């Protein structure tokens, strides 16, 4: 899995509340059989007009945000469908970090599996970050976001932090517990034979 | 020593802990894994690339539902990308030895309708699927939650998932639901109350007399919508209603195993005195039929209500969100919901595509005609629901009234197949999401229960189903 240590980049503000995964990547792109290539369809419905041309007012169509690697988002970001196509599309576009007041559970989990760091910060903090011109720096080890001479600390679960810092292969890690899994299954068979 | 009282969630969780890791995460054993065509191709590809196999095929069940056609599927799938995805699923289940219900099998249907029907979903189990509405299965007292594709791969490979404990929330619905109302109204009312993020980080256990009175179908509707309240999962403690539903299902235990299972299942209720992090009680006896006005399930109202004025929103973020939702929905502030002209009615989905839902809609539709201005679709949740409805003559009621009677699948709930709204069409839908573009680009969705959907089809506009009961 991809590692995440630190990042300095452009932060694009998209502060509307309840941005759902249908909006991040709509259904017509879910028939793909691969993980890559979804970046150009990211936010499709609000990024392009009905003729397929870019909407100039949409943030990711404007300079300098076309090259954003950080997204500043509103509360409950990533709600709705469990589709991992949403983080795939964000990652493929170049987003490595999302800062929002809150995230939907499944989306939050899906980020870590794709080398994206989701950072919960309060709405006033996210709004303050959106006011900053120029790049932001995110340091996962120190759990700090900084920009324009100011710093913000964020909370992060130590397990998730380690996963990103070390780029751990989660499945490989679980496979190391195979003896425990087998023992558990054997015990279970005796107790709950119908399963 | 007496054990401290535990919630139902705690009990299922504790039983499935394989290992507690040094970082505090838990390796949780997964009993049941449902797989569908849209969120699994990359997971199987990952297994293939790593040379892994499916660890426990018997705990896995695959079915195609999201992008399948709901008419004339015998002739094959005409949309190429959809066809390729279903073919990929078929090739993957063959290669990895995963049990699969083929598209033309009578048991095919929406994954969350099929699991319970087959007795694959059982009380006290852990159930996952690469789909957020996996919460549906919580109706059986199973810990059921949606996962992403990376986690699908993880479960296929190891039958386990690293997890963190959720918080316990209890929602009690008390009182007797008035005629014409159903569990969808309860769910929408709750989401209106706590918001789409109200349950974030929580598992919601539903209880109270109004929940006990619900059928399994009704409990599934309620648990299905718990994800729209942001919850990780919904739960209802199993009882006689549950056992009666499960008994005799193809994959349910039989004979001595059934007795043994029942003994365990009876222990699956929250202990008296178990602590919940959050509690809420709603009285349903004076509930009005619910419908949404905007582009989030939390934008709900009584059918007698009118759209809100963004100027009255409590925060600037909400003001903007309301204004955006109204603009998308083509509505002015203060517009009464009753009387809004409807172009399309969709009855189906994993929320309201089960036999009880079709019966409820048919009761309203019987002897009436769909308004000439409306296109109305009925899409049964599974082949078995369809067959049952046909045995009961519900298909005739719908067809005689002018509804389309289609083959099972997700259909216009998300419009991945050809069942989609045209731009700016307004739809009364029994599905669970009214997000922008969900049912088709620029489509406008009003979430309702099956009775309200049928009433809208007949009237040609959103209307109060209680009027139809009096008539
Ligand atoms: S019916 Fe709708 S919500 Fe349910 S699984 Fe299918 S697409 Fe998802």
């Amino acid at each position: 899995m991809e590692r995440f240590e630190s990042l300095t980049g452009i932060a694009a503000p998209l502060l509307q509340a309840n941005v759902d995964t249908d909006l991040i990547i709509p259904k017509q792109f879910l028939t793909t059989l691969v993980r890559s290539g979804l970046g150009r369809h990211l936010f499709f419905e609000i990024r392009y007009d009905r003729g397929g041309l870019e909407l100039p007012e949409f943030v990711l169509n404007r300079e300098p945000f076309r090259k954003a690697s950080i997204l500043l988002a509103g509360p409950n970001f990533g709600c709705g469908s469990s589709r991992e196509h949403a983080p795939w599309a964000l990652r493929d576009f170049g987003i490595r970090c999302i800062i929002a007041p809150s995230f939907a559970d499944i989306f939050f989990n899906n980020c870590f599996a794709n080398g994206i760091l989701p950072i919960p910060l309060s709405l006033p903090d996210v709004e303050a970050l959106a006011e900053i011109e120029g790049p932001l720096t995110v340091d996962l080890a120190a759990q700090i976001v900084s920009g324009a001479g100011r710093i913000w600390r964020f909370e992060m679960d130590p397990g998730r932090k380690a996963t990103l810092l070390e780029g751990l292969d989660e499945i490989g890690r679980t496979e190391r517990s195979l003896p425990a899994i087998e023992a558990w299954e054997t015990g279970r068979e005796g107790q709950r034979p119908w399963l | 020593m007496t054990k401290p009282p535990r919630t139902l969630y705690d009990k299922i969780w504790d039983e499935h802990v394989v290992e507690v890791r040094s970082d505090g995460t838990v390796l949780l054993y997964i009993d049941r894994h449902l797989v569908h065509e849209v969120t699994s191709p990359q997971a199987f590809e990952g297994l293939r690339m790593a040379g892994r196999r499916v660890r426990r095929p018997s705990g896995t069940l695959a079915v195609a539902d999201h992008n399948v056609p709901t008419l004339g599927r015998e002739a094959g799938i005409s949309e190429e990308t959809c066809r390729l995805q279903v073919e990929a699923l078929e090739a993957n289940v063959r290669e990895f030895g995963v049990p699969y219900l083929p598209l033309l099998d009578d048991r095919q249907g929406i994954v969350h309708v099929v699991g319970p029907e087959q007795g694959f979903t059982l009380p006290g189990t852990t159930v996952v699927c690469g789909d957020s509405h996996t919460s549906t299965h919580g109706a059986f007292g199973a810990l059921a939650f949606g996962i992403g594709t990376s986690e699908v791969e993880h479960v296929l490979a190891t039958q386990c998932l690293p997890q963190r404990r959720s918080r316990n929330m209890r929602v009690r619905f008390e009182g007797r639901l008035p005629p014409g109302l159903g569990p969808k109204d309860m769910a929408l009312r709750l989401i209106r109350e706590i918001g789409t993020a109200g349950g974030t980080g929580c598992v919601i256990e539903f209880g109270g007399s109004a929940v006990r009175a619900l059928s399994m179908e009704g409990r599934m509707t309620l648990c299905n919508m718990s994800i729209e309240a942001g919850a990780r999962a919904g739960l209802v403690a199993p009882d006689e209603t549950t056992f009666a539903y499960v008994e005799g299902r193809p994959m349910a235990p039989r004979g001595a195993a059934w007795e043994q299972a029942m003994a365990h299942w009876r222990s699956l209720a929250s202990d008296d005195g178990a602590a919940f992090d959050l509690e809420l009680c709603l009285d349903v006896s004076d509930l009005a039929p619910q419908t949404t006005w905007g582009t989030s399930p939390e934008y709900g109202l009584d059918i007698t209500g009118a759209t809100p004025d963004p100027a009255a929103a409590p925060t600037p973020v909400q003001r903007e969100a309301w204004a955006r939702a109204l603009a998308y929905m083509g509505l002015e502030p203060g517009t009464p919901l009753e009387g809004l002209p409807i172009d399309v009615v969709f009855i189906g989905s994993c929320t309201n595509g089960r036999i009880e839902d079709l019966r409820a809609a048919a009761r309203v539709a019987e002897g009436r005609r769909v308004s000439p201005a409306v296109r109305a679709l009925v899409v049964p949740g599974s082949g078995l629901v369809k067959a049952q409805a046909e045995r009961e003559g519900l298909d005739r009621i719908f067809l005689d009234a002018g509804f389309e009677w289609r083959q099972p699948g997700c259909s216009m709930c998300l419009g991945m197949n050809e069942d989609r709204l045209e731009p700016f069409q307004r739809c009364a839908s029994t599905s669970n999401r009214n997000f922008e573009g969900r049912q088709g680009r620029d489509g406008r969705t009003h979430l309702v229960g099956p009775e309200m959907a049928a009433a809208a089809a007949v009237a040609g506009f959103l209307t109060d189903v209680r009027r139809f009961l009096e008539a």
Side-chain angles (χ1 to χ4, degrees):
Chain A
M1 213 203 62
E2 203 173 355
R3 294 170 63 160
F4 185 107
E5 289 170 45
S6 65
L7 163 75
T8 297
I10 301 292
L14 183 72
L15 293 190
Q16 73 193 67
N18 298 324
V19 168
D20 57 70
T21 52
D22 279 72
L23 198 66
I24 298 172
I25 185 82
K27 62 191 140 249
Q28 61 268 38
F29 306 112
L30 303 189
T31 50
T32 177
L33 300 175
V34 296
R35 287 176 157 94
S36 55
L38 290 171
R40 64 177 183 279
H41 308 308
L42 178 69
F43 292 117
F44 184 82
E45 310 276 347
I46 51 174
R47 184 165 155 205
Y48 304 103
D49 70 13
R50 299 310 176 245
L53 296 175
E54 286 187 358
L55 292 163
E57 67 273 18
F58 183 65
V59 59
L60 296 182
N61 292 332
R62 301 202 312 258
E63 295 298 348
F65 306 117
R66 288 178 177 281
K67 292 186 197 66
S69 54
I70 300 170
L71 190 69
L72 302 173
N76 202 24
F77 187 80
C79 61
S81 156
S82 66
R83 59 187 70 166
E84 200 163 313
H85 307 70
W88 294 338
L90 286 158
R91 181 68 196 86
D92 195 57
F93 178 88
I95 302 290
R96 295 291 317 272
C97 173
I98 305 164
I99 306 177
S102 59
F103 297 87
D105 286 339
I106 304 177
F107 176 84
F108 191 74
N109 280 339
N110 284 342
C111 283
F112 291 94
N114 292 284
I116 297 176
L117 173 64
I119 299 178
L121 281 181
S122 73
L123 184 60
D125 286 343
V126 178
E127 284 170 342
L129 286 167
E131 292 298 312
I132 292 175
E133 284 188 32
L136 299 180
T137 296
V138 176
D139 183 339
L140 176 57
Q143 294 180 218
I144 283 173
V145 180
S146 56
R150 290 183 63 190
I151 65 166
W152 289 260
R153 287 181 193 285
F154 61 88
E155 298 290 319
M156 189 53 53
D157 170 292
R160 297 196 200 268
K161 180 173 170 178
T163 303
L164 276 185
L165 282 175
E166 293 161 37
L168 292 178
D169 165 17
E170 286 279 355
I171 298 179
R173 193 168 165 221
T174 297
E175 281 176 336
R176 277 188 257 142
S177 301
L178 220 52
I181 299 172
E182 281 167 4
W184 190 94
E185 282 175 333
T186 310
R188 188 66 177 315
E189 264 164 47
Q191 255 191 320
R192 312 263 182 256
W194 62 90
L195 287 175
Chain B
M1 205 186 83
T2 53
K3 282 199 228 147
R6 292 184 300 165
T7 64
L8 168 55
Y9 169 65
D10 295 338
K11 290 181 186 182
I12 305 175
W13 174 275
D14 291 348
E15 179 169 325
H16 288 84
V17 173
V18 172
E19 203 172 73
V20 182
R21 294 169 163 179
S22 53
D23 61 15
T25 57
V26 158
L27 201 58
L28 200 70
Y29 194 79
I30 304 301
D31 296 310
R32 297 288 188 249
H33 185 190
L34 290 154
V35 172
H36 67 81
E37 77 278 25
V38 177
T39 57
S40 68
Q42 295 85 352
F44 283 111
E45 181 60 20
L47 291 184
R48 205 174 284 123
M49 273 164 26
R52 291 179 169 122
R53 62 191 180 91
V54 173
R55 174 167 169 77
R56 199 162 161 260
S58 65
T60 317
L61 181 63
V63 66
D65 56 0
H66 278 64
N67 63 27
V68 303
T70 58
L71 270 190
R73 66 173 51 154
E74 298 73 15
I77 304 176
S78 55
E79 283 200 22
E80 166 140 346
T81 55
C82 295
R83 181 170 52 77
L84 289 175
Q85 210 168 38
V86 173
E87 284 173 2
L89 179 65
E90 290 177 344
N92 285 329
V93 297
R94 234 176 292 127
E95 179 181 342
F96 289 93
V98 170
Y100 173 64
L101 302 175
L103 195 50
L104 297 181
D105 192 298
D106 240 12
R107 297 166 300 171
Q108 180 272 345
I110 305 170
V111 68
H112 308 309
V113 177
V114 164
E117 269 178 357
Q118 293 305 313
F120 185 71
T121 307
L122 293 173
T125 55
T126 46
V127 182
V128 297
C129 174
D131 189 282
S132 57
H133 290 98
T134 309
S135 60
T136 310
H137 308 264
F140 290 80
L143 174 57
F145 52 91
I147 57 178
T149 298
S150 298
E151 292 172 305
V152 169
E153 184 180 339
H154 202 127
V155 176
L156 288 172
T158 67
Q159 207 62 35
C160 290
L161 267 185
Q163 288 290 301
R164 288 158 186 79
R165 216 184 180 104
S166 301
R167 297 195 305 154
N168 280 289
M169 178 168 178
R170 176 156 61 188
V171 174
R172 284 180 301 126
F173 289 97
E174 299 290 354
R176 254 178 90 136
L177 212 51
L181 276 77
K184 182 67 159 290
D185 299 295
M186 292 160 62
L188 287 172
R189 184 68 192 81
L190 170 69
I191 298 163
R192 218 177 122 182
E193 188 75 24
I194 68 174
T196 48
T200 303
C202 296
V203 167
I204 305 179
E205 181 176 342
F206 296 104
S209 55
V211 173
R212 289 288 137 222
L214 288 176
S215 65
M216 286 317 294
E217 284 83 354
R219 296 176 189 184
M220 284 190 253
T221 303
L222 193 57
C223 288
N224 175 278
M225 294 291 287
S226 52
I227 182 74
E228 305 315 326
R232 188 92 177 110
L235 277 175
V236 176
D239 59 11
E240 297 308 318
T241 305
T242 322
F243 309 145
Y245 180 99
V246 173
E247 190 169 15
R249 302 267 161 191
M251 299 170 85
R254 298 172 190 282
W258 172 256
E259 295 305 323
Q260 221 178 332
M262 288 266 284
H264 170 52
W265 296 344
R266 286 188 200 284
S267 73
L268 294 174
S270 288
D271 296 327
D272 287 337
F276 287 84
D277 301 288
L278 290 160
E279 291 212 59
L280 186 74
C281 184
L282 292 170
D283 184 358
V284 301
S285 29
D286 53 1
L287 196 63
Q290 302 291 299
T291 175
T292 59
W293 61 266
T295 51
S296 163
E298 72 186 23
Y299 295 154
L301 284 173
D302 293 357
I303 181 64
T304 50
T307 56
D309 185 348
T315 68
V317 170
Q318 267 168 300
R319 186 181 318 137
E320 212 176 296
W322 288 7
R324 185 187 169 91
L326 284 171
Y328 180 86
M329 294 296 288
L331 296 171
E332 296 296 324
T335 310
L337 288 177
E338 183 154 28
L340 268 185
I342 291 293
D343 305 297
V344 177
V345 167
F346 171 63
I347 298 175
S349 88
C350 60
T351 312
N352 285 127
R354 281 171 286 264
I355 188 69
E356 290 235 329
D357 303 307
L358 302 193
R359 286 181 192 140
R363 274 197 294 274
V364 176
E366 185 159 22
R368 297 187 165 107
R369 291 287 308 164
V370 171
S371 156
V374 171
R375 175 183 179 212
L377 294 78
V378 184
V379 184
S382 73
L384 295 182
V385 169
K386 181 167 184 281
Q388 174 68 27
E390 288 171 356
R391 272 196 299 279
E392 296 178 19
L394 304 184
D395 59 326
R396 286 298 353 145
I397 294 178
F398 287 123
L399 286 166
D400 289 348
F403 288 82
E404 298 174 26
W405 179 248
R406 304 178 77 102
Q407 292 168 316
C410 294
S411 180
M412 204 184 270
C413 174
L414 91 164
M416 265 194 87
N417 68 351
E418 47 282 284
D419 308 339
R420 260 176 238 145
L421 293 183
E422 299 294 321
F424 312 118
Q425 276 188 328
R426 192 177 296 284
C427 177
S429 177
T430 67
S431 55
N432 42 50
R433 288 189 175 136
N434 49 2
F435 300 158
E436 289 182 24
R438 171 77 179 183
Q439 295 192 287
R441 198 169 198 189
D442 292 323
R444 297 161 172 171
T445 304
H446 296 270
L447 300 177
V448 290
E451 298 89 342
M452 284 282 285
V458 170
F461 46 82
L462 285 181
T463 187
D464 191 334
V465 66
R466 292 173 298 189
R467 293 184 203 291
F468 285 66
L469 306 175
E470 290 153 15

